[in-house]
Amino acid sequence: MTTFVNVCKVRGLSVRCIISKVTCFLCFLEHEDDVEDDVNDDSGTDELSNDDKPCTHLQRVAQGGSGSLPDVFQTSHLVFYERFKAYQDYMLGDCKSSEVKAFTVDYLEKAVEPSDWRALWHSDVFDVLVQVVDVDYKELRAKVELVLPMQCEARGCELTEESTTALLDATLNRVPLQDLLVVYDESGDFDQTALALEHLRFFYKHIWRKWDEEDEEDEFDYFVRCVEPRLRLYYDVLEDRVPAGLVAEYHSLLERCSDTFCEFSSLRNGLSSDSESELDNVSMVEGLQMYEHMEGLKRKLRIIENPLLRYVLGYKMNCGQHMCSTKGERPSGLRVVHIVSASTSVHVLHSLMTEKLLPLYSSKEFEVQFHCDPAVAISGCYEGDVVILCPGHYTVTSSITMADSILVEGYGLPDEVVIEKRNKGDTFVESTGDVVKISNLKFIQHDAIEGILCEWTRLSGKLEMENCVFQCETTGVIVRTAAQLLMNMCDLYGSKGAGVEIYPGSVCSLTGNGIHHCQDGVLIKDFADEMDVLPKITMVNNVIHNNSGYGVILVKPDDSHTVLTHGKLIPEEVGTKSDLPIIVEEAGPVEGAVSSEFTEGNDVLKRELVATSVRKQHLQRRRVMELRAMQVDEDLLSQEMFVSIHGNQFRRNGKGSFGTFLY
């Protein structure tokens, strides 16, 4: 233990970091027989262990092309914990963002050989073998010489010894350390050099941002605040745990923020500190607007980088990324009844004919098509088509999208008509049609990144679900902004997130459902944007039980302008003529009512939603007044919040019937 602490002191780490490492050390004692070896080889960056290595512990990777170039060390395969440990323990410690460069230089001085090693000078258009003769640690550059005879691989250009020498002369033979790939050596002498350059390269490519050094929160630990969440996001994306649309949104935000920062920096550098010219005053106003825009982009980036906020807030920006275009009516004017069955008995087919097809679909406008795969049947639907699934267990490998108004129903009980998704993907079922109806089906979800069923819409689409079973693995049913969901007599369980996620501006009616054994039962989202309105919610006679978190949880920003005290709502500035209507539907007496112990969450939920709605209304009006709009959107200002919550039972939820998450 004393040796371990001394090693930490040698590395210049703070008391807090030493305590953290001692804790990790004690954990290793419980699970590993050889503690010293385990502590020293996890990240492959401990230079103190070099003397004990008889040969390299790293793999080699061959270069493509003609094969004239030597192999290099394979370092890009490192797992999350190896990079985490390297940045926390060796490279960054508990430094501030303004100290990153100094800590990095100190790390490289300890880990990178100062000279006499070979590397490939790598770029997008060429790889050239060079000899490193000196390292300028403070500038993160190396002085190199061309190895003769020249060994190179060119991509899309012609490279000669003369042109390469001229290029090196133009750079004074100094190239960035990040551009060097260490040539493979079996002795193990250059393992730490190869790993250190990999950590440097990865850090400046995936972790560091141009604006980090100017961060207003510079007093806080840079590793905890920025490095860890960005590193986790990188591996979450790599392991397909983040929806593709959200990944695209993140990279788009990064690019926009980087461009805005460059414009802002250029504008700021062009301002004169003692000038009072009109041009400079205009530039200052533009700079302030640009700065506010950049801060908004940075805030969105932080939301996506934070695993918890990404879950409860980040998907707002991803909304509508996967919308499919509608087909409309079939050109022939016919409507098709799609019968899905891998195999069925004569009895079932006869019953289907007499109970469904002849009474409902025997007119001339209908024709029948047969399928074995429900995904194929649904993808072939046009406006007004019907899909009937015969009893059976169907396995699909891709997402199912319902872009047109269709009816999908199982012929039998939900447990008899099962659709199971096997392969990974963002979602299982997506509904974007104007009116989609689903009934008598059981959905089993595996490896979906988003919900088992996601509903979003262009204008005012509606999804009706009745007598369905949802066996979830990630999140459950997601109701996006502007979508309408009617979910009746369904059973939903197993979600690692919320059973039902309700977004602002949506309409959600939950009646007679069972929502259980999820992280949270129902999640209601209230975003920070003042123009977002809370959803219109109806929750009647649902049984929400055995969830590990709350029965119902409301996510909202921590800037409330209302106070809820002893059941009384006391909003600021209430009583003005412009206060908006909030409709709260009260329940009448219920026969055979259950104990109030299981139903008290109804009143708490109603009060909190009303309080949040009042706060939102005042924020909207204040925003409109600040903008001094010449013409106010009357539709916006006349929006009502509708709350009808009664008869629900909340049983054995880990944290209680209702809770709030403030961000």
Side-chain angles (χ1 to χ4, degrees):
M1 177 66 74
T2 304
T3 303
F4 180 71
V5 173
N6 288 337
V7 170
C8 294
K9 290 181 178 179
V10 167
R11 298 186 181 284
L13 300 178
S14 68
V15 174
R16 183 174 64 179
C17 276
I18 293 176
I19 293 173
S20 174
K21 288 177 212 321
V22 170
T23 303
C24 292
F25 184 79
L26 293 175
C27 291
F28 287 142
L29 279 174
E30 297 178 3
H31 301 288
E32 299 289 340
D33 295 327
D34 190 349
V35 176
E36 184 172 353
D37 289 343
D38 191 55
V39 170
N40 285 337
D41 77 357
D42 272 332
S43 71
T45 55
D46 191 350
E47 66 275 10
L48 298 181
S49 63
N50 281 348
D51 295 336
D52 299 328
K53 293 182 179 179
C55 61
T56 180
H57 287 185
L58 299 177
Q59 300 296 317
R60 67 199 303 162
V61 57
Q63 297 300 294
S66 62
S68 61
L69 292 175
D71 296 346
V72 297
F73 284 104
Q74 169 64 279
T75 56
S76 60
H77 67 296
L78 299 180
V79 299
F80 168 80
Y81 179 70
E82 291 174 312
R83 295 193 193 276
F84 180 95
K85 181 177 173 63
Y87 293 132
Q88 184 184 51
D89 292 5
Y90 303 102
M91 184 167 164
L92 300 174
D94 60 350
C95 72
K96 305 172 185 177
S97 56
S98 58
E99 300 171 333
V100 166
K101 180 72 176 293
F103 273 63
T104 301
V105 169
D106 182 65
Y107 164 69
L108 294 176
E109 287 176 343
K110 293 184 176 75
V112 176
E113 292 292 332
S115 61
D116 299 326
W117 46 278
R118 290 190 170 189
L120 294 185
W121 179 20
H122 174 76
S123 74
D124 292 335
V125 295
F126 63 78
D127 290 307
V128 178
L129 182 63
V130 295
Q131 177 82 14
V132 175
V133 296
D134 190 26
V135 176
D136 186 344
Y137 298 101
K138 291 184 179 180
E139 296 298 324
L140 305 183
R141 288 180 173 271
K143 185 176 182 180
V144 300
E145 293 179 350
L146 188 63
V147 174
L148 298 176
M150 189 177 79
Q151 302 178 46
C152 70
E153 291 284 351
R155 293 176 286 275
C157 67
E158 186 175 338
L159 200 63
T160 64
E161 182 179 325
E162 292 74 16
S163 61
T164 306
T165 302
L167 182 59
L168 284 172
D169 290 342
T171 62
L172 301 178
N173 285 59
R174 292 155 54 88
V175 300
L177 285 173
Q178 300 173 54
D179 294 345
L180 296 179
L181 304 175
V182 182
V183 170
Y184 182 79
D185 185 281
E186 294 182 347
S187 68
D189 293 340
F190 302 107
D191 282 18
Q192 302 309 319
T193 297
L195 285 166
L197 295 189
E198 170 62 26
H199 292 315
L200 178 72
R201 186 162 43 244
F202 184 91
F203 176 76
Y204 280 105
K205 183 176 181 180
H206 300 291
I207 305 296
W208 180 254
R209 309 284 184 251
K210 297 177 182 178
W211 50 85
D212 281 353
E213 200 165 8
E214 301 182 6
D215 201 323
E216 295 178 354
E217 299 180 357
D218 188 45
E219 294 302 316
F220 297 94
D221 190 327
Y222 178 72
F223 177 86
V224 173
R225 187 166 47 85
C226 296
V227 178
E228 182 178 355
R230 292 172 186 171
L231 186 61
R232 289 189 183 278
L233 175 62
Y234 174 85
Y235 278 93
D236 284 346
V237 172
L238 192 66
E239 295 165 10
D240 293 326
R241 292 199 291 263
V242 182
L246 192 60
V247 174
E249 177 70 15
Y250 181 74
H251 289 305
S252 174
L253 286 169
L254 265 181
E255 184 177 355
R256 288 157 55 195
C257 195
S258 180
D259 292 342
T260 304
F261 177 77
C262 291
E263 292 177 18
F264 175 75
S265 300
S266 177
L267 182 64
R268 180 180 56 185
N269 295 337
L271 291 175
S272 175
S273 59
D274 56 353
S275 173
E276 297 183 359
S277 68
E278 183 177 348
L279 183 60
D280 274 359
N281 289 336
V282 172
S283 297
M284 289 182 65
V285 173
E286 292 178 355
L288 287 173
Q289 293 174 342
M290 204 175 294
Y291 177 79
E292 290 179 359
H293 176 60
M294 183 174 64
E295 288 300 309
L297 294 174
K298 287 162 63 176
R299 181 177 181 276
K300 291 179 180 179
L301 287 170
R302 286 194 295 269
I303 286 175
I304 300 178
E305 290 166 354
N306 184 297
L308 180 58
L309 294 181
R310 184 195 318 155
Y311 163 61
V312 298
L313 295 173
Y315 292 134
K316 178 193 178 185
M317 292 168 280
N318 187 36
C319 180
Q321 290 288 331
H322 307 288
M323 285 229 184
C324 297
S325 59
T326 60
K327 297 179 181 178
E329 294 184 357
R330 191 172 271 98
S332 64
L334 292 175
R335 295 166 63 187
V336 174
V337 179
H338 303 265
I339 307 297
V340 182
S341 177
S343 64
T344 188
S345 66
V346 174
H347 174 72
V348 171
L349 187 59
H350 180 268
S351 299
L352 179 62
M353 289 288 293
T354 56
E355 295 177 11
K356 286 283 185 184
L357 298 181
L358 291 176
L360 301 176
Y361 309 114
S362 59
S363 63
K364 292 183 179 180
E365 66 174 321
F366 286 101
E367 67 177 31
V368 177
Q369 293 181 8
F370 292 89
H371 307 269
C372 296
D373 188 336
V376 173
I378 293 172
S379 65
C381 283
Y382 284 75
E383 189 82 11
D385 281 4
V386 177
V387 179
I388 300 176
L389 286 83
C390 294
H393 193 116
Y394 304 94
T395 300
V396 298
T397 57
S398 59
S399 296
I400 297 174
T401 300
M402 305 175 187
D404 291 275
S405 296
I406 62 173
L407 169 64
V408 182
E409 62 176 313
Y411 182 64
L413 298 175
D415 286 334
E416 298 174 341
V417 189
V418 179
I419 304 177
E420 182 174 5
K421 184 175 186 295
R422 285 293 182 184
N423 290 359
K424 285 188 176 182
D426 284 356
T427 56
F428 185 173
V429 180
E430 294 177 321
S431 172
T432 64
D434 290 339
V435 180
V436 176
K437 298 181 180 181
I438 304 174
S439 61
N440 303 330
L441 293 173
K442 180 175 182 178
F443 297 92
I444 300 178
Q445 174 197 50
H446 297 288
D447 294 327
I449 299 173
E450 291 193 83
I452 192 169
L453 190 150
C454 297
E455 184 199 5
W456 42 42
T457 182
R458 299 163 183 81
L459 293 173
S460 57
K462 181 167 64 174
L463 171 63
E464 300 179 18
M465 299 190 302
E466 186 169 345
N467 196 33
C468 290
V469 176
F470 298 93
Q471 180 178 317
C472 309
E473 189 172 90
T474 50
T475 52
V477 175
I478 300 175
V479 192
R480 302 290 191 183
T481 298
Q484 298 182 52
L485 171 68
L486 280 71
M487 182 172 167
N488 302 325
M489 306 302 294
C490 294
D491 189 39
L492 189 153
Y493 58 91
S495 170
K496 294 178 182 177
V500 179
E501 291 185 20
I502 307 174
Y503 276 66
S506 63
V507 178
C508 184
S509 174
L510 306 175
T511 304
N513 302 287
I515 303 173
H516 55 98
H517 294 92
C518 303
Q519 174 60 37
D520 295 298
V522 178
L523 174 64
I524 304 171
K525 300 188 178 185
D526 172 23
F527 295 125
D529 192 336
E530 296 91 340
M531 294 306 161
D532 283 326
V533 295
L534 284 178
K536 297 180 180 180
I537 298 174
T538 299
M539 290 180 60
V540 179
N541 297 335
N542 300 285
V543 181
I544 303 175
H545 65 97
N546 289 100
N547 298 290
S548 56
Y550 292 101
V552 178
I553 183 170
L554 173 65
V555 177
K556 63 179 184 178
D558 189 12
D559 59 353
S560 177
H561 293 275
T562 61
V563 181
L564 190 63
T565 308
H566 302 297
K568 295 182 179 180
L569 182 64
I570 311 176
E572 294 182 2
E573 305 173 10
V574 169
T576 63
K577 195 172 182 179
S578 60
D579 284 338
L580 304 185
I582 301 177
I583 301 174
V584 181
E585 183 178 279
E586 300 293 346
V590 180
E591 293 184 6
V594 297
S595 169
S596 60
E597 174 188 356
F598 302 123
T599 60
E600 61 182 1
N602 292 280
D603 293 333
V604 175
L605 176 54
K606 273 190 289 191
R607 289 198 302 267
E608 184 61 34
L609 289 177
V610 170
T612 303
S613 184
V614 171
R615 174 188 63 82
K616 212 59 165 173
Q617 292 167 3
H618 287 294
L619 289 175
Q620 289 174 1
R621 292 193 172 277
R622 187 177 66 181
R623 175 73 174 272
V624 171
M625 293 179 65
E626 287 176 353
L627 295 175
R628 297 180 181 179
M630 297 298 294
Q631 184 174 357
V632 178
D633 187 338
E634 295 298 332
D635 289 336
L636 171 66
L637 297 182
S638 65
Q639 287 172 337
E640 301 172 349
M641 181 190 173
F642 182 88
V643 179
S644 177
I645 299 173
H646 56 82
N648 303 287
Q649 298 181 41
F650 301 90
R651 299 171 180 263
R652 297 183 296 277
N653 294 295
K655 296 183 179 180
S657 59
F658 178 76
T660 57
F661 175 83
L662 303 178
Y663 66 92

